[in-house]
Amino acid sequence: MTHHGSCHCGRIAFDVEGEFDAVMECNCSHCSRKGYLLWFVPREQLHVSTPEADMASYRFNRHVIDHHFCPQCGCAPFGLGSGPDGRPMAAINVRCLEGVALDEVKRVPFDGRKL
């Protein structure tokens, strides 16, 4: 299945392939403030329509994830980094996907404060 996503104003648009039955809800200082609900996929499953030059990014803590956000509306639809095995990964904020019933998505807590 292909999910379409975007930031609030639509400047950042993307498609992501795959299915999810649960998302990660991290309590780190960044994720908890932004309300991220994350779905991790191999990088090749994310197809971004927006040129990278039109996005802003933010790195914090260990500086291993590029948290991309829209410089116009501030919405943060995904981040890019590497998985524990070193493979390129994308962290999709499912709040930015169209047609997702958020109240029906299983949330798995993750204690990111301890990292």
Side-chain angles (χ1 to χ4, degrees):
M1 175 177 212
T2 299
H3 299 276
H4 180 71
S6 69
C7 63
H8 187 256
C9 72
R11 185 174 183 174
I12 297 176
F14 63 96
D15 291 306
V16 60
E17 299 170 24
E19 295 288 333
F20 60 91
D21 57 359
V23 296
M24 184 182 81
E25 189 168 27
C26 178
N27 67 358
C28 78
S29 62
H30 187 248
C31 292
S32 61
R33 281 178 172 80
K34 291 195 171 183
Y36 282 140
L37 296 176
L38 299 172
W39 168 36
F40 292 87
V41 299
R43 175 62 181 92
E44 64 266 14
Q45 289 179 220
L46 174 65
H47 309 284
V48 182
S49 305
T50 306
E52 193 165 342
D54 290 350
M55 296 183 267
S57 68
Y58 176 67
R59 287 181 169 208
F60 77 107
N61 196 5
R62 294 183 289 159
H63 299 267
V64 296
I65 300 173
D66 284 319
H67 298 276
H68 289 285
F69 65 95
C70 177
Q72 176 132 352
C73 68
C75 193
F78 60 84
L80 301 176
S82 298
D85 61 359
R87 291 185 356 186
M89 297 292 291
I92 310 300
N93 183 0
V94 299
R95 292 184 183 276
C96 295
L97 298 178
E98 294 178 2
V100 174
L102 293 173
D103 58 336
E104 296 175 13
V105 175
K106 179 182 176 186
R107 299 172 188 207
V108 177
F110 179 78
D111 192 1
R113 290 182 183 171
K114 290 190 176 177
L115 295 180

